[in-house]
Amino acid sequence: MGGMYKEQNFNFSENMDFETVIGLEVHLQLNTATKIFCGCRNVFGVEANTCVCPVCLGLPGSLPVLNRDVLFSGIKVGLALNCSINTFVKFDRKNYYYPDLPKGYQISQYDFPIAKAGFLPVMTGGQEKRIGITRAHLEEDAGKLIHDDAINATLVDYNRTGTPLVEIVSEPDMRSADEAYDYLTTLKLALQYLNVSDCDMEKGSLRCDANVSIRSRGETKLGTKTELKNMNSFSAVKRAIDFEVARQTRLVIAGESIVQQTLLWNEEKGITIPMRSKEQAHDYRYFPEPDLVPFTLTEAEIDKVRCGLPELPYARLHRLIEKLGVSEYDGTIIVQDKTFADFFESALALGVDVKKLCNWMNGPLMKELNDRKCRLGDLKLTPGMLVELINKVEDGTVSNLAGKEILAEVVATGRKIEDIIKEKGLTQVSDEALIGKIVDEIILKNPQVVEQVRSGKANAAGFLVGQAMKQMQGKANPKIINEFIQRRITNV
Amino acid sequence: MDLFNLTANQLLTMISSGQISAADVLSSVRVRQQAVGQKTNAFIRTYDETGNGAAFPVPIGIKDNICVKGREVTCASKILKGFRPPYDAAVVEKIKASGGIVLGSLNMDEFAFGSSTESSSYGIVRNPWDLGCVPGGSSGGSAAAVAAGEAVWAIGSDTGGSIRQPASFCGVVGLKPTYGRVSRYGLIAFGSSLDQIGPITKDTTDCARLLGILAGFDHRDSTSVDLPVPDYTKSLDRHVRGLRVGIPKEYFIDGIQPSVLAAVQAAIDFYKKEGALICEISLPHTEYAVATYYIVATAEASSNLARFDGVEYGLRAVPSRPRKAGIVDMYEETRAKGFGNEAKRRIMLGTYVLSAGYYDAYYLRAQKARTLIKNDLDKAFLDCDVILSPTAPTTAFRIGEKTNDPLSMYLSDIFTIPANLAGIPAISLPCGFDEKNLPIGLQLMAAPFAEERLLAAAFAYEQAHGWHVQRAKL
């Protein structure tokens, strides 16, 4: 949306302390059951040109019909980003030629985006910053070009044509690549909570372009921007911005001017490369789409969407901290994944210590997920099972170490905790007679260490506990061993 | 008796009474088509459909910009050569469901850009009343086919007069319905906000019958309006007493052919004599209609025709010598070879008026003028029921007479364009012959969805005069 970003070249010479200015454009594929203007299934990864019809193929004579679900998803996104919703729903044609665009124009929203003038609170650099949202508008995605070297030709897959998109345009409010990264992760999280998209950059369901410029610190006007495209991960966005800021800074220091242009990020080389100027000289000739009649949404319709909005991560974090006694550190981790946070709250409701639950979820459970590269929803573990396990550790039935082993087993197989404990013999030994006998043996074998304990060397007792544990193949209750050691040594 | 000269209504009566069979009708029309087809060039291609067993399968010709499943459709352009749509247009579904037989595809101005059917890449169409004259356009093939008896009914499309002006030139009845009355699904778009599909028939009774088949809501066309479809044949009434007939003074300008003016004046006198109330009205923004139309229609057309790029279907020209990037060369070569001059002219015009820096001065201003023209008509319909005028300033002109003068060609739509800009229904019916025995057309316009009123007023005039029973001698 070039027109919304007024910039100019100014005299940098007096001040060599630069500030980076970044605005981001995020394209999000919506996960509605069908496409935006036809009844074709909206799916990814199926055989080429199997989810197509005369409408999304742009065949002569076909006409678009707006999918209402897309509209409501757009409103959801707008409300979640604290935008005002345009009740006047209107679409426009954006005209340009490209083989993946079968009608020769893209149906989009120009002067009446579904949402405008909002903001997203982002935790960045240890504090909260509001990033302005200029607008969010609905449009159709284009097809996909496939270059086939074997037959030296370009093929087109039209399955993606007509996939609903919402384009979220931020204000140029970010001041570093890290802020841009934090904005993107926060935005993605909010969108995942809304369940409007799978937000998968690898599948292309989330795409991001960055507008980058620099200016002297203290300057209020915007410098000449460049637009960065072709980044396929958030970290690539970060690297591309860092590269571009460095490039622009070098140019300015060398006394050269920055040319407004579109640059493509080359992941392998780690550099940005200008697009050919020919491809940039677009006059999209926007005009109202005559095939879709504009209409007006009622406030009641918008309120209905508002009432159906889920609690967003930002609000959830505050509630976890204020109402449930979760620490900010733990809460921040927990809300990073909606399923994870839902799991946490379900478990907490079953009756378990909140700190212990946080430790188990953000510790051993998170490790299991990371090791297996999976998400909580993929596992057979239920909140009830985790609570059962934590409570078994707490009441001493199994040791902490055995607890982790059991968790790994449950995650892998989904078997009953009781069965695993029985089968692996993981029940913690609390038999005082047995433990007493072993502790006595250890004390006799290690007189020097006992002496050290007596003289107040705390670590020395740990060694004795370890020896006793080893003797009992780790099954003894370490609390009881410790008690015996302390008692025996002070009594002797 | 030459069955091809009769109306569907007459034929149905004869079939019902057992005088003839439906097969007799079909064969009469097909024989006629073979006999005179080379003279008129009304059909681009014909099919051998036999019908689905309906009591009276009306033989119908379809304009070549309306999709018939599995049949080539080209908009009379080289660029769509070989394109066979995998689906039926909504109106074709309705025609087939009614038992109608699709005879073939009718010739037209390329992409409906024209008023004479001289811009077809399948050759010019000739007026059955005088083979040296044009049949009008862009639905020239549709009007000529009905006038010549090559089809009992024909389907046309009307963006700025493309049904009414050729109906006028060929001495038949043509109706442009209210915008949204007939689904545009399957009509290859010219000016999406102006296009309507409508009937071309020998008289108003058939027109009412065919309109009833074509009309109706279609969820696939967002501009289609969900209103019940009345039985239009029930609206036909000889009485016009009390009918308020508006005569727009801005339409009676210098340059109207005197015999046309005289015939229209006689029609006004008829309505007056029959007890209608004649009132002079003013449509003050009429003078901006043609300019407004040529901005709105070409803007939409430039975008609508962008899809003809050689990628998916139709013509793909491969340049012998690469000049630019491969794909751009292909686009340019395909469009240069595929489009005729008038299509190129309109694409350039439309692209220009939408371009950065010109949009406000042209497109936006035209939209404002369009609103003013619509407001004029809305206001007029507070005072009158129908608005009466000539359909065109002249009768059919000679082939080649205006091909080098696009502006004078554009002006032949001067009386028909306002109905498209305002989205209101309008009909053209025969109202006499000029000194060269060429048909003259009378246009009636009415408020949105007042097609019944239009048909009733037309029927009363038609029944009292009998111009509609005259046939071209071929």
Side-chain angles (χ1 to χ4, degrees), chain B residues 204-215:
Chain B
T204 51
T205 306
D206 272 17
C207 180
R209 195 183 282 273
L210 180 51
L211 178 62
I213 293 169
L214 304 179

Side-chain angles (χ1 to χ4, degrees), chain B residues 448-473:
Chain B
F449 300 99
E451 279 87 354
E452 290 169 281
R453 191 175 295 154
L454 217 48
L455 286 162
F459 181 75
Y461 174 89
E462 173 190 274
Q463 294 301 305
H465 292 82
W467 306 114
H468 63 292
V469 300
Q470 306 250 7
R471 295 287 174 260
K473 297 188 175 47

Side-chain angles (χ1 to χ4, degrees), chain A residues 5 7 21 37 40 58 73 110 114 149 155 157 205 208 230 241 245 258 314 323-324 366 397 424 445-446 485-486:
Chain A
Y5 193 105
E7 64 271 314
V21 178
F37 298 122
C40 288
S73 289
Y110 184 57
I114 186 66
D149 290 335
L155 307 171
D157 178 4
S205 58
C208 175
N230 201 38
I241 292 172
V245 169
I258 292 157
Y314 177 76
K323 301 267 164 67
L324 301 176
M366 191 71 90
T397 310
K424 299 204 164 192
K445 276 187 200 162
N446 298 283
I485 289 173
Q486 295 300 334

Side-chain angles (χ1 to χ4, degrees), chain A residues 26-320:
Chain A
V26 169
H27 283 85
L28 184 76
Q29 284 185 342
L30 297 171
N31 61 2
T32 50
T34 55
K35 293 185 179 182
I36 184 167
F37 298 122
C38 65
C40 288
R41 284 190 305 137
N42 176 27
V43 288
F44 176 83
V46 297
E47 193 189 334
N49 296 313
T50 53
C51 287
V52 292
C53 74
V55 177
C56 56
L57 286 174
L59 292 190
S62 66
L63 295 169
V65 177
L66 178 63
N67 177 351
R68 283 268 169 160
D69 289 347
V70 171
L71 181 66
F72 291 125
S73 289
I75 296 171
K76 264 191 198 174
V77 171
L79 291 173
L81 299 176
N82 305 292
C83 291
S84 62
I85 301 300
N86 263 320
T87 50
F88 183 66
V89 179
K90 172 180 172 268
F91 286 87
D92 301 275
R93 290 189 187 176
K94 179 180 180 178
N95 296 283
Y96 66 95
Y97 287 92
Y98 209 65
D100 64 4
L101 191 69
K103 297 190 295 297
Y105 57 85
Q106 178 192 33
I107 304 179
S108 182
Q109 292 189 305
Y110 184 57
D111 49 358
F112 289 88
I114 186 66
K116 61 177 188 240
F119 65 88
L120 181 68
V122 176
M123 282 301 296
T124 183
Q127 53 185 341
E128 188 179 301
K129 179 172 179 177
R130 280 187 172 189
I131 304 298
I133 304 294
T134 314
R135 54 186 272 150
H137 67 259
L138 299 168
E139 60 189 20
E140 57 181 341
D141 208 346
K144 210 170 169 178
L145 297 184
I146 301 157
H147 302 279
D148 188 333
D149 290 335
I151 55 169
N152 190 26
T154 301
L155 307 171
V156 194
D157 178 4
Y158 291 106
N159 283 344
R160 198 176 72 178
T161 311
T163 296
L165 291 179
V166 58
E167 181 179 335
I168 301 163
V169 182
S170 86
E171 289 288 305
D173 281 352
M174 285 151 278
R175 294 291 171 267
S176 68
D178 284 329
E179 278 190 19
Y181 184 87
D182 290 338
Y183 164 80
L184 286 172
T185 49
T186 308
L187 177 67
K188 178 178 169 179
L189 188 59
L191 295 168
Q192 280 174 333
Y193 268 60
L194 290 177
N195 192 24
V196 291
S197 171
D198 63 2
C199 302
D200 190 337
M201 271 189 110
E202 276 175 24
K203 285 199 242 162
S205 58
L206 192 153
R207 309 194 278 272
C208 175
D209 302 335
N211 291 312
V212 179
S213 63
I214 59 169
R215 62 183 173 192
S216 298
R217 199 168 300 282
E219 176 62 63
T220 51
K221 289 170 186 152
L222 295 165
T224 302
K225 68 168 179 186
T226 54
E227 186 176 6
L228 311 183
K229 287 179 179 287
N230 201 38
M231 292 84 77
N232 58 11
S233 69
F234 289 173
S235 57
V237 173
K238 201 166 136 180
R239 288 196 299 278
I241 292 172
D242 280 334
F243 177 88
E244 181 57 15
V245 169
R247 189 188 70 89
Q248 290 188 11
T249 307
R250 272 201 311 278
L251 281 175
V252 170
I253 289 172
E256 289 173 47
S257 60
I258 292 157
V259 180
Q260 180 171 341
Q261 60 185 333
T262 301
L263 301 154
L264 296 180
W265 172 246
N266 184 311
E267 179 74 29
E268 284 160 35
K269 294 182 183 157
I271 57 169
T272 56
I273 298 162
M275 268 176 105
R276 279 173 304 171
S277 61
K278 189 113 192 148
E279 290 171 276
Q280 303 183 38
H282 276 312
D283 175 2
Y284 291 119
R285 288 173 283 120
Y286 279 99
F287 75 104
E289 166 57 281
D291 288 330
L292 293 167
V293 187
F295 61 95
T296 305
L297 284 163
T298 62
E299 286 299 333
E301 283 172 295
I302 295 168
D303 279 343
K304 208 177 147 193
V305 179
R306 189 177 279 122
C307 292
L309 281 183
E311 183 185 37
L312 293 166
Y314 177 76
R316 188 169 208 170
L317 174 63
H318 283 262
R319 184 171 55 80
L320 291 186

Side-chain angles (χ1 to χ4, degrees), chain A residues 54-55 57-66 93 95 97-105 156 158 276 278 283 285-293, chain B residues 67 80 83 86-87 179 184-188 192-193 219-223 299-300 303-304 306-308 311-313 327 331 335 351 354-356 359 363:
Chain A
V55 177
L57 286 174
L59 292 190
S62 66
L63 295 169
V65 177
L66 178 63
R93 290 189 187 176
N95 296 283
Y97 287 92
Y98 209 65
D100 64 4
L101 191 69
K103 297 190 295 297
Y105 57 85
V156 194
Y158 291 106
R276 279 173 304 171
K278 189 113 192 148
D283 175 2
R285 288 173 283 120
Y286 279 99
F287 75 104
E289 166 57 281
D291 288 330
L292 293 167
V293 187
Chain B
C67 293
L80 265 170
F83 173 62
Y87 70 102
Y179 187 75
R184 294 185 294 116
Y185 191 78
L187 167 68
I188 301 179
S192 310
S193 73
H219 67 90
R220 295 167 298 182
D221 175 2
S222 304
T223 64
E300 292 179 4
S303 174
N304 284 331
R307 71 187 69 195
F308 306 114
V311 173
E312 242 188 293
Y313 44 74
I327 188 76
Y331 286 156
R335 290 169 69 83
T351 304
L354 288 175
S355 296
Y359 182 89
Y363 186 78

Side-chain angles (χ1 to χ4, degrees), chain B residues 40-74:
Chain B
T40 63
N41 196 31
F43 278 91
I44 291 177
R45 55 194 89 81
T46 55
Y47 315 130
D48 293 319
E49 303 275 329
T50 50
N52 60 6
F56 179 30
V58 185
I60 305 176
I62 309 284
K63 190 175 178 179
D64 194 36
N65 58 355
I66 295 170
C67 293
V68 180
K69 188 176 177 175
R71 301 290 193 187
E72 190 179 11
V73 61
T74 66

Side-chain angles (χ1 to χ4, degrees), chain B residues 351-362:
Chain B
T351 304
Y352 176 76
V353 300
L354 288 175
S355 296
Y358 298 99
Y359 182 89
D360 290 1
Y362 293 107

Side-chain angles (χ1 to χ4, degrees), chain A residues 418-492:
Chain A
E418 288 286 357
D419 295 349
I420 297 169
I421 293 173
K422 262 187 219 154
E423 185 190 289
K424 299 204 164 192
L426 291 170
T427 312
Q428 190 161 257
V429 176
S430 300
D431 179 341
E432 303 205 355
L434 180 62
I435 293 175
K437 196 174 147 244
I438 288 172
V439 166
D440 287 345
E441 286 169 17
I442 298 289
I443 285 174
L444 283 173
K445 276 187 200 162
N446 298 283
Q448 295 106 320
V449 182
V450 171
E451 208 46 50
Q452 287 174 354
V453 176
R454 284 218 180 90
S455 62
K457 207 170 174 192
N459 291 351
F463 173 77
L464 296 177
V465 174
Q467 290 295 306
M469 266 303 227
K470 201 173 163 192
Q471 193 85 21
M472 297 187 70
Q473 284 129 24
K475 288 180 200 166
N477 186 331
K479 234 167 88 188
I480 297 175
I481 297 178
N482 199 38
E483 274 170 26
F484 265 92
I485 289 173
Q486 295 300 334
R487 216 187 302 156
R488 291 281 201 274
I489 291 177
T490 43
N491 284 356
V492 169

